Amino acid sequence: MIRRTGLAALLASTLIGAPAIAQTVPGQTPPNPPLVEGGFATTEATDPYLWLEEVEGERAMAWVEAQNTRSLGILQGDPRYQGLHDQALAIVQARDRIAMPGFNRDGTVDNFWQDATHVRGIWRRATLDSYRTETPAWQTILDFDALAASEGANWVYKGANCLEPDERLCLISLSDGGKDAVVVREFDSTTRTFVDGGFVLPEGKHRISWVDADTLMVATDFGPGTLTESGYPYIVKILKRGQSLDQAVEVYRGTATDGGYGVSPYTLRDADGVIQALLINRPLDTYRAETWRVVDGQAVKLELPARGNISALVQGQLVVTTDQDWTAPSGQAFTAGDVIAWDLDAWFANPATAAQLIIHPGERDSIEAISATRNRLVVARYENVRGSVYVYTPGSGEWARQRLALPQNVTVGVGSASATDDRIFLTAAGYLTPSSLYLADAASGAIDALKALPAKFDAAGMRVDQFEARSADGTMIPYFVVHRDAMAMDGSNPTLLYGYGGFQVSMLPGYSPTMGKLWLERGGVYVVANTRGGGEFGPRWHQAAQQANRQRAHEDFQAVAADLIARGITSQPRLGVMGGSQGGLFMGAMLTQRPDLINAAVIAVPLFDMLRFHTLLAGASWMGEYGDPRIPEQRAVIAQYSPYQNLRAGRPYPEVFIHTSTKDDRVHPGHARKAAARLEELGYPVLFYENTDGGHAAGANLRETARRIALEYTYLTRRLMD
């Protein structure tokens, strides 16, 4: 019903004064000296490893092959690797996982499934009654292993966009090796064949929405000069069946300097699938965006907060989340994190129509997910990083609220919702609690337990504690510790600290079978830091560590590491850190700023050269998060923490494990490559592995996923358990 943008493109950013790097304390590694213009890699002329940015260049790939050979020889040559690999493979290919369902209007449910037989996966369908049984009678809609084999292609399934209300015609996105860029092909889910002469789009980062069976709204690469500097589309056109892209009619045009992940068209439909509006989201940067409505072929700007998100349409009420303090055209003042609603028809007729306040979260609350059944709003709300699900019913005054009876102190998830009634799938899980699936009736509050994941590791005698660490500016940073009851507080425990710290992504408790089996069960301690930059306490928690304040997030993570040591949970020889993507930047900052705290770092698909991130692949779309290195004042702030430029000789860096993917067309593999090359140049030991498939998730299929996991835990075992 609602196409959630989900691209972080509807949020915003504001520059304020840069904080100082924390002062040296006893036992702390002295801070790096300030960067000097003309120093290492501060300009292209001073970067000796630019050639590693040639993704598939001959010299670069020869370097990758040599690194892979050496690193795989070391890690796969470890006698523990094979056992860890076999355990990881058994878990990721297990058939007793929960097959997560998606509602169809005809009462059936769909599922995408991967296992040892279906490595690339199958799209399959069953009746809800059959799904309730232990052995559902699945019917295959599309087999991606068979498709790849028949076409001699390395297809990775990236999703289906089906036309409502009958959901027969679908646009299938297929990626070569796991890239973000996809080929789109029209598919008939009833005949289970690709439509002869149907809609087809060549490889690209498309944004597509059905209008009707013969019409699409499309944002894509329409030729030279039609992509933003980060490689995303900024033009929307109407494409009719039988037309080529150059025949499509333009209805909206942004600019080549637009930020974020590109302009996105979407069709706002009611519960019956009837179109209420054709909308276009135009990101101004990573977080600020405009919303436009197409009326009679012309785009009209809507009065919505720049940092916000259209979250649902329920009983004619348009539900919007605002991530900024905002005064509506009605004169009403709302604060960051509020959830509000308008009567859609009245608001379209008069933008000054008063809105209703549905939710005003507290200081330690966050709204993690919003969905709508036919008649009700369903919200996953977190209080101090512990989740609950509430049902809100529209009314003329305050919306009625009911809390659903789900397990407490766990992570709750809002799944697929029915458009024909008020049923919705919900999930619950914890660090030691396997995932469970429930079918709830949002109207009555009734909950039916459908499926439960069997325990994948022995959690007997284990517990979860929540502590707080004091960051450099005095802010208290919560973190979770998963450990055995009998844990000695003498610093002897091998401990893995995980962090992300950006883009308003919350690190919530979850059940990880591979982490439990390959780490906890073998005596390790697992820690997750809820630092600023994430969304654990709403948009303000994120914005507190944005752009000029990015260093706060790094100090938060470092404070958690220091607190673990101070409590005696672990010690420097036993403490390792792990993170990927933005979390890889986190690990790089830990490595360059506080190497005295750690003895291992898994740095996955990382951002590392922050003075050039805006020039590499999708990097320019993240300037709302980090700032713009082209502006001297912002560049000076970024230079303080950019890991690549801050690598120095004579520092107590541990051997690190860096991995990336050649096919990653989101975070450029050059970041990881150059980090490894610079470390080697400075004389430090480093392990580097590059998967030649896999995309940003670094796993095009389950076998590669198992290998990556086994490599990580073999490395951590060598560093922290030996």
Side-chain angles (χ1 to χ4, degrees):
M1 199 159 47
I2 294 293
R3 182 188 183 278
R4 296 292 304 277
T5 59
L7 298 172
L10 297 182
L11 308 175
S13 56
T14 320
L15 274 175
I16 53 180
I21 299 292
Q23 297 298 307
T24 302
V25 298
Q28 177 178 325
T29 302
N32 289 323
L35 293 184
V36 177
E37 196 62 33
F40 177 79
T42 55
T43 66
E44 288 192 10
T46 59
D47 187 351
Y49 296 112
L50 282 179
W51 55 275
L52 285 171
E53 294 179 4
E54 298 174 19
V55 176
E56 299 195 65
E58 184 176 350
R59 183 184 178 193
M61 291 309 296
W63 181 90
V64 167
E65 182 179 358
Q67 291 286 332
N68 282 354
T69 298
R70 185 182 66 83
S71 297
L72 291 178
I74 292 171
L75 293 176
Q76 292 182 326
D78 188 291
R80 293 159 294 197
Y81 170 81
Q82 194 60 49
L84 293 170
H85 174 271
D86 292 347
Q87 289 177 323
L89 186 63
I91 288 172
V92 300
Q93 292 187 341
R95 300 184 65 88
D96 58 358
R97 292 172 284 125
I98 296 175
M100 299 306 296
F103 270 116
N104 296 314
R105 288 177 181 269
D106 63 2
T108 61
V109 295
D110 282 5
N111 167 253
F112 175 69
W113 182 257
Q114 293 174 287
D115 59 25
T117 304
H118 307 98
V119 176
R120 297 177 186 275
I122 54 173
W123 171 16
R124 58 188 188 173
R125 180 169 294 167
T127 66
L128 181 57
D129 286 342
S130 178
Y131 177 77
R132 290 175 178 271
T133 68
E134 291 187 9
T135 56
W138 292 106
Q139 294 183 338
T140 298
I141 305 299
L142 183 54
D143 185 327
F144 296 98
D145 292 273
L147 177 67
S150 67
E151 298 184 351
N154 187 17
W155 291 135
V156 175
Y157 174 59
K158 287 285 189 173
N161 181 347
C162 299
L163 173 62
E164 296 184 61
D166 64 7
E167 302 171 317
R168 174 173 178 169
L169 297 178
C170 302
L171 300 172
I172 306 296
S173 293
L174 299 169
S175 164
D176 175 15
K179 294 185 290 187
D180 283 356
V182 296
V183 171
V184 174
R185 293 156 63 175
E186 186 179 2
F187 183 80
D188 188 318
S189 64
T190 300
T191 63
R192 300 173 192 178
T193 58
F194 286 100
V195 176
D196 187 22
F199 288 111
V200 175
L201 294 179
E203 185 177 77
K205 295 182 178 181
H206 313 295
R207 307 284 184 261
I208 310 171
S209 183
W210 286 101
V211 177
D212 57 43
D214 295 312
T215 312
L216 303 177
M217 284 198 296
V218 178
T220 190
D221 184 351
F222 291 107
T226 64
L227 297 179
T228 67
E229 56 189 1
S230 53
Y232 292 100
Y234 66 88
I235 298 170
V236 179
K237 296 186 179 184
I238 297 292
L239 179 68
K240 293 287 187 178
R241 186 174 296 278
Q243 288 183 328
S244 60
L245 283 176
D246 59 0
Q247 294 173 313
V249 177
E250 182 176 320
V251 292
Y252 181 78
R253 176 180 291 256
T255 71
T257 58
D258 286 352
Y261 291 89
V263 64
S264 295
Y266 60 107
T267 306
L268 184 68
R269 299 177 188 269
D270 65 18
D272 293 317
V274 177
I275 295 175
Q276 301 301 303
L278 301 181
L279 301 178
I280 295 169
N281 171 259
R282 178 209 176 190
L284 303 176
D285 57 28
T286 316
Y287 299 104
R288 295 182 306 114
E290 298 172 345
T291 300
W292 295 70
R293 181 188 179 197
V294 179
V295 181
D296 298 328
Q298 300 295 316
V300 179
K301 184 180 176 184
L302 299 179
E303 295 297 325
L304 289 169
R307 295 181 73 117
N309 193 18
I310 294 178
S311 299
L313 178 64
V314 56
Q315 290 192 37
Q317 301 292 306
L318 184 72
V319 179
V320 172
T321 303
T322 177
D323 286 348
Q324 67 179 79
D325 294 342
W326 180 67
T327 300
S330 63
Q332 295 167 285
F334 298 102
T335 59
D338 284 350
V339 180
I340 59 180
W342 287 276
D343 178 275
L344 182 65
D345 290 339
W347 183 66
F348 277 162
N350 178 14
T353 296
Q356 287 181 297
L357 176 64
I358 305 173
I359 307 173
H360 177 65
E363 186 177 336
R364 303 289 278 187
D365 295 355
S366 69
I367 305 299
E368 289 292 336
I370 296 178
S371 186
T373 62
R374 185 174 185 84
N375 301 298
R376 286 166 172 80
L377 194 70
V378 182
V379 178
R381 183 171 178 173
Y382 281 72
E383 299 162 309
N384 204 30
V385 206
R386 288 176 165 83
S388 302
V389 173
Y390 290 89
V391 174
Y392 293 83
T393 303
S396 57
E398 183 177 342
W399 288 32
R401 187 181 83 161
Q402 177 187 9
R403 180 171 176 167
L404 296 182
L406 289 169
Q408 302 298 302
N409 297 324
V410 295
T411 291
V412 293
V414 176
S416 178
S418 172
T420 59
D421 55 32
D422 290 310
R423 293 176 299 173
I424 186 168
F425 291 111
L426 304 171
T427 60
Y431 290 119
L432 302 177
T433 306
S435 300
S436 295
L437 176 70
Y438 301 87
L439 180 59
D441 186 326
S444 67
I447 294 180
D448 185 8
L450 291 184
K451 310 275 184 180
L453 181 73
K456 294 294 183 177
F457 61 92
D458 184 3
M462 294 184 187
R463 59 184 284 182
V464 180
D465 289 320
Q466 188 179 33
F467 298 111
E468 288 187 332
R470 186 178 299 277
S471 192
D473 65 356
T475 302
M476 300 307 295
I477 310 301
Y479 65 93
F480 289 101
V481 181
V482 190
H483 63 94
R484 294 191 179 278
D485 284 330
M487 176 177 65
M489 303 295 284
D490 59 0
S492 64
N493 303 290
T495 300
L496 175 59
L497 169 59
Y498 187 89
Y500 186 77
F503 294 94
Q504 205 169 323
V505 174
S506 301
M507 295 290 100
L508 305 174
Y511 191 76
S512 171
T514 51
M515 184 276 296
K517 190 69 178 178
L518 278 61
W519 188 250
L520 290 177
E521 205 177 84
R522 298 169 61 232
V525 174
Y526 183 62
V527 181
V528 176
N530 300 120
T531 68
R532 286 172 290 183
E536 288 86 347
F537 299 138
R540 294 184 187 278
W541 192 249
H542 165 233
Q543 293 162 24
Q546 213 178 322
Q547 292 197 347
N549 291 317
R550 170 59 43 181
Q551 178 62 18
R552 287 178 179 168
H554 302 151
E555 291 169 350
D556 292 353
F557 192 67
Q558 294 158 20
V560 172
D563 199 60
L564 288 168
I565 294 172
R567 291 180 187 273
I569 292 173
T570 191
S571 56
Q572 180 274 331
R574 298 291 185 182
L575 179 58
V577 293
M578 175 188 285
S581 191
Q582 148 62 32
L585 170 61
F586 238 30
M587 302 309 110
M590 172 65 86
L591 180 69
T592 54
Q593 295 180 21
R594 291 305 307 271
D596 58 303
L597 293 175
I598 60 173
N599 195 36
V602 176
I603 305 174
V605 289
L607 285 158
F608 225 82
D609 184 352
M610 297 304 292
L611 297 186
R612 279 182 55 76
F613 82 91
H614 61 297
T615 69
L616 301 173
L617 295 176
S621 64
W622 309 321
M623 288 192 288
E625 178 77 4
Y626 302 116
D628 188 343
R630 297 169 299 188
I631 299 174
E633 295 80 8
Q634 296 181 35
R635 182 181 180 88
V637 173
I638 295 169
Q640 292 183 64
Y641 66 78
S642 180
Y644 184 50
Q645 285 77 21
N646 279 296
L647 291 169
R648 299 282 198 273
R651 310 283 282 185
Y653 301 152
E655 176 190 67
V656 299
F657 177 36
I658 303 172
H659 64 79
T660 188
S661 170
T662 308
K663 295 290 187 181
D664 190 344
D665 55 350
R666 191 181 314 171
V667 175
H668 198 293
H671 285 282
R673 294 173 179 178
K674 295 200 302 181
R678 176 60 170 166
L679 282 165
E680 284 196 325
E681 175 196 340
L682 293 171
Y684 297 104
V686 58
L687 295 171
F688 176 90
Y689 169 64
E690 183 168 319
N691 172 23
T692 55
D693 286 327
H696 190 55
N701 60 60
L702 295 179
R703 295 190 186 100
E704 177 57 37
T705 297
R707 174 159 71 167
R708 172 184 56 78
I709 292 169
L711 291 172
E712 289 174 341
Y713 283 103
T714 299
Y715 162 78
L716 291 168
T717 299
R718 291 165 58 91
R719 298 296 305 172
L720 306 179
M721 288 185 170
D722 285 352

